[in-house]
Amino acid sequence: MEIDDELLELALTHRSFAYENGGSPDNERLEFLGDSVLGKAVTVMLYTENPGLDEGQLAKLRASVVSSVALAEIARTIGLGDHLLLGRGEERTGGREKSSILADAVEAVIGAAFLSAGGEETDRFVLRLVQPLLDDPDRTGAFVDPKTSLQEVAARRGAGLPVYSIESSGPDHSRVFVATVTVGTLVTATGTGTSKKQAEMSAALDAWSALVRRRRHSPTA
């Protein structure tokens, strides 16, 4: 779909870049709009296509698709991080891979799409983005609770409990956390976030993905 060039640039402008460039506009207003557009499109689709699910099941499925972890995964899949406008500090601390920044950018792009093309076309755009998540039920479940999903797959592989370590950097008002999770000798993964929980969830999802890919491609799986 066609998104207005100026709106798209705004959607990719993180507040750190805006601050370093004289307080120019950033993507937070578009993010606010995109969050609502995303939630509405996913809610209507899930309600329409899953008549057998009750309210609780629908809510859980929606939460998995619109979570920051899921949106960050979408951003990585389409290479959105490569196009972000970041300040020097975020650039140095790996902002292009931070789940929180990536998730916010996806919502901002959705907001820009809505202003450019209207509701119906944007709904179709949103559903194209989230469909790969819905096509893989195991992965959808992992987005809801990646730490539990990792623990379960590790147990099936006889690898014991995942072990987490956490480091942080930056000033108190802009703390960045980096989590590392190790699952026996099978896999080690890292994740970043603006909170310890978010970083651990990101690391857990990466480790879960690696174990599942290994299992699927193993001739003895």
Side-chain angles (χ1 to χ4, degrees):
M1 66 177 298
E2 293 290 332
I3 301 178
D4 177 83
D5 289 342
E6 290 186 6
L7 285 172
L8 182 58
E9 181 175 344
L10 181 58
L12 298 172
T13 302
H14 187 255
R15 64 176 178 271
S16 61
F17 181 90
Y19 176 78
E20 291 181 6
N21 287 271
S24 58
D26 59 40
N27 64 3
E28 292 184 353
R29 280 175 52 85
L30 284 176
E31 174 200 338
F32 171 78
L33 175 61
D35 176 67
S36 294
V37 174
L38 168 69
K40 175 257 187 184
V42 170
T43 298
V44 172
M45 182 271 292
L46 292 177
Y47 179 88
T48 303
E49 296 188 1
N50 298 277
L53 298 184
D54 62 26
E55 178 188 3
Q57 292 170 314
L58 288 170
K60 185 176 181 180
L61 189 54
R62 179 180 60 189
S64 71
V65 175
V66 303
S67 71
S68 61
V69 176
L71 295 179
E73 184 73 3
I74 289 172
R76 293 186 181 100
T77 298
I78 63 177
L80 192 62
D82 295 338
H83 304 284
L84 295 175
L85 298 175
L86 301 176
R88 290 185 296 275
E90 286 293 352
E91 197 74 72
R92 285 195 302 269
T93 57
R96 295 186 189 280
E97 280 299 317
K98 289 180 185 176
S99 294
S100 56
I101 291 177
L102 290 171
D104 291 348
V106 170
E107 290 180 334
V109 169
I110 291 170
F114 177 81
L115 293 178
S116 299
E120 290 187 11
E121 191 169 348
T122 303
D123 285 350
R124 290 192 290 270
F125 171 62
V126 167
L127 298 183
R128 287 197 300 272
L129 290 177
V130 304
Q131 193 60 51
L133 310 182
L134 296 170
D135 289 341
D136 189 341
D138 288 341
R139 193 166 185 79
T140 302
F143 285 129
V144 177
D145 189 352
K147 293 181 70 173
T148 297
S149 294
L150 175 61
Q151 185 173 322
E152 290 172 350
V153 74
R156 290 197 296 269
R157 298 291 297 272
L161 291 174
V163 177
Y164 293 86
S165 62
I166 193 87
E167 296 180 356
S168 63
S169 62
D172 290 341
H173 69 277
S174 185
R175 208 76 174 153
V176 175
F177 294 85
V178 179
T180 301
V181 61
T182 301
V183 182
T185 60
L186 295 180
V187 67
T188 297
T190 60
T192 62
T194 55
S195 68
K196 176 182 176 181
K197 179 180 178 181
Q198 190 178 69
E200 288 183 342
M201 289 176 63
S202 179
L205 182 63
D206 282 354
W208 178 89
S209 298
L211 286 178
V212 169
R213 285 196 302 269
R214 182 179 299 183
R215 183 183 64 194
R216 288 173 176 171
H217 292 106
S218 171
T220 59

